[in-house]
Amino acid sequence: MKTDKVWFVTGASKGMGLSLVKKLIGEGYRVAATSRGSQRLIDAVGHFEGQQFLPSEFAGQLAVHVNHLNRAVKEITEKTTSMIIAERLLQEAKILLRHTEWNVSEIAYSLGFKEATDFNNFFKKMMQLTPVRFREMD
């Protein structure tokens, strides 16, 4: 499905943003992507392998201890780092389910899940319905 629309993706040099950019470009969509460093984004596109989104990874990227990150996030948001990550993954999943024709496996992989069943279980736990049922609601 090609359109004249352009996908705008922020934080596209790694993680979910990078995965989404690669998937969109691979499908022939036009993409405008931002990153703190353009060379990092250029270097990354084409070299992505699925990754886990864990608090320890984000702590490492910020050069802080994971306990420090967890305390700071909890103090400010009253949520755990894991909850923030899960909510963000869920938000991306819902966007992809509503605005693409990708199957659940493609969405699962684009979000860093190694297996579609892991994504289905995650989505069902968060939304109390499957990704397919969510998509049918629209």
Side-chain angles (χ1 to χ4, degrees), residues 86-87 89-91 93-94 97-98 119-131 133-135 137:
E87 288 172 359
L89 275 171
L90 180 64
Q91 179 184 15
K94 289 162 59 173
L97 286 164
R98 289 205 174 152
F119 171 68
N120 277 315
N121 292 337
F122 163 79
F123 195 92
K124 191 169 182 179
K125 178 182 175 186
M126 298 291 288
M127 293 292 297
Q128 287 74 52
L129 71 156
T130 66
R133 294 282 303 172
F134 177 83
R135 180 176 265 168
M137 289 174 43

Side-chain angles (χ1 to χ4, degrees), residues 81-100:
T81 307
S82 296
M83 288 171 61
I84 299 290
I85 294 168
E87 288 172 359
R88 182 68 173 110
L89 275 171
L90 180 64
Q91 179 184 15
E92 288 295 322
K94 289 162 59 173
I95 289 168
L96 292 172
L97 286 164
R98 289 205 174 152
H99 299 289
T100 70

Side-chain angles (χ1 to χ4, degrees), residues 59-80:
Q61 292 171 14
L62 295 168
V64 299
H65 192 277
V66 69
N67 292 343
H68 176 74
L69 176 63
N70 286 331
R71 270 193 309 275
V73 168
K74 182 87 171 189
E75 184 177 312
I76 294 168
T77 66
E78 298 182 1
K79 298 177 182 178
T80 66

Side-chain angles (χ1 to χ4, degrees), residues 7-67:
W7 285 79
F8 182 71
V9 181
T10 60
S13 65
K14 57 188 166 190
M16 288 185 286
L18 175 59
S19 182
L20 182 59
V21 167
K22 287 191 58 152
K23 182 71 174 170
L24 291 167
I25 291 171
E27 297 276 330
Y29 290 93
R30 297 181 334 168
V31 177
T34 66
S35 174
R36 287 189 181 166
S38 60
Q39 187 59 45
R40 188 170 186 179
L41 175 60
I42 291 166
D43 292 343
V45 173
H47 303 288
F48 177 75
E49 294 178 18
Q51 74 181 56
Q52 301 275 328
F53 297 101
L54 303 172
S56 58
E57 289 183 0
F58 288 101
Q61 292 171 14
L62 295 168
V64 299
H65 192 277
V66 69
N67 292 343

